[in-house]
Amino acid sequence: MMHKSTFLLTVLATLSCSSSLAQCQLATPPQILSTVIDMNGIEATFIFAPQTNGRGGGGAQVLIEVQKGLSKSFAISPTKGFEYHIHIKPVGPDNDCIATGGHLDPESIGATAKCNPAKPEKCQEGDLSGKHGELKATESGSIPTMSYVDHLLQFTGESSTIVGRSVVIHNNGTRVACGDILPVAAQRVSGSNNNSTSKDQITEAGSDSKAPLYTNGACSNRAVGGSTVMMMMMMAGALAAGVLGGVLGV
């Protein structure tokens, strides 16, 4: 159970974290993470707040806000919506979403079996839309903020952590937008010139399923935008007011 004061301290620690990603990674408790996407006309923000009641002590409160881009006119299959997943690698140079590899799947469940939301433990860890539903296309392309708890997401473990990986949005299987999952203070906006992470900052830890390892070099990522910080503060304020109490189990 995460006490309200503990959650608020985590929020404040995340917002005040220095630009050195290595320092952010070493901070405890686990950092609140975010993905900020701004590419191909799609603007979206994902927030991952650590929980303590999931499998292996993991789990995350997930908040998603799509500001623009996921419209019915853009969707190849408007009635189906947009799939989104956590992929094992960060975004490649020049916003290369293909470089993110496959889905995060430390249990080697595989992508052939369709995820059953009623049995999330049988789904890939990174199959967020399979467990919680797709991002439904709208006329305007914006999607109201949605929130859920995913008890299987991990913030630790070389092969299971979501830190340093990426979120990829798909349009009927095609990768249309992506962004890295990083502590808020080290976040960059996909679509900017600084979107790709240099080899001096990330090295692969053996196999594709393992998390990227960050060096002690200074993080060159662009600071996260004000909208993400505002979402963070709204989330903290809502918890303090007891709005999210039932969901977070505090």
Side-chain angles (χ1 to χ4, degrees):
M1 179 179 293
M2 179 177 287
H3 193 274
K4 293 180 182 179
S5 60
T6 302
F7 183 88
L8 293 174
L9 287 173
T10 303
V11 172
L12 295 175
T14 301
L15 294 177
S16 63
C17 182
S18 74
S19 63
S20 171
L21 187 53
Q23 292 177 358
C24 292
Q25 289 282 77
L26 294 174
T28 54
Q31 293 287 308
I32 294 178
L33 309 173
S34 69
T35 297
V36 183
I37 295 174
D38 184 0
M39 62 185 297
N40 296 330
I42 298 171
E43 295 182 11
T45 302
F46 296 76
I47 301 291
F48 302 92
Q51 301 295 285
T52 58
N53 57 348
R55 180 175 63 190
Q61 170 80 24
V62 182
L63 270 75
I64 304 171
E65 182 182 48
V66 178
Q67 293 86 5
K68 60 182 292 188
L70 299 188
S71 64
K72 290 184 177 180
S73 60
F74 176 62
I76 296 176
S77 177
T79 58
K80 184 178 180 182
F82 297 85
E83 296 179 335
Y84 64 104
H85 315 104
I86 295 175
H87 285 235
I88 58 177
K89 295 181 180 180
V91 177
D94 300 320
N95 307 317
D96 184 3
C97 294
I98 300 299
T100 61
H103 301 169
L104 178 60
D105 186 18
E107 303 295 330
S108 299
I109 291 172
T112 55
K114 183 176 177 60
C115 174
N116 181 354
K119 298 181 179 180
E121 69 280 359
K122 301 295 184 180
C123 302
Q124 296 174 309
E125 180 181 348
D127 189 0
L128 299 183
S129 57
K131 291 181 284 184
H132 306 285
E134 298 169 342
L135 301 173
K136 298 299 183 183
T138 63
E139 293 293 342
S140 66
S142 65
I143 299 176
T145 301
M146 56 186 292
S147 173
Y148 56 78
V149 172
D150 189 313
H151 295 292
L152 304 181
L153 296 182
Q154 302 292 306
F155 289 75
T156 60
E158 190 175 35
S159 64
S160 59
T161 181
I162 65 174
V163 181
R165 303 190 191 276
S166 58
V167 172
V168 178
I169 298 175
H170 301 258
N171 190 352
N172 197 34
T174 301
R175 305 182 187 198
V176 294
C178 54
D180 291 341
I181 303 174
L182 298 170
V184 170
Q187 185 56 266
R188 57 181 169 271
V189 180
S190 67
S192 71
N193 291 332
N194 292 331
N195 184 61
S196 60
T197 306
S198 69
K199 292 182 180 179
D200 292 334
Q201 291 173 282
I202 296 181
T203 56
E204 286 301 321
S207 71
D208 287 346
S209 64
K210 294 181 180 179
L213 298 179
Y214 293 86
T215 69
N216 288 323
C219 180
S220 64
N221 302 331
R222 192 174 82 184
V224 69
S227 63
T228 299
V229 175
M230 183 62 70
M231 280 188 68
M232 296 280 296
M233 298 308 295
M234 289 175 63
M235 186 175 179
L239 180 61
V243 175
L244 296 180
V247 177
L248 298 177
V250 296

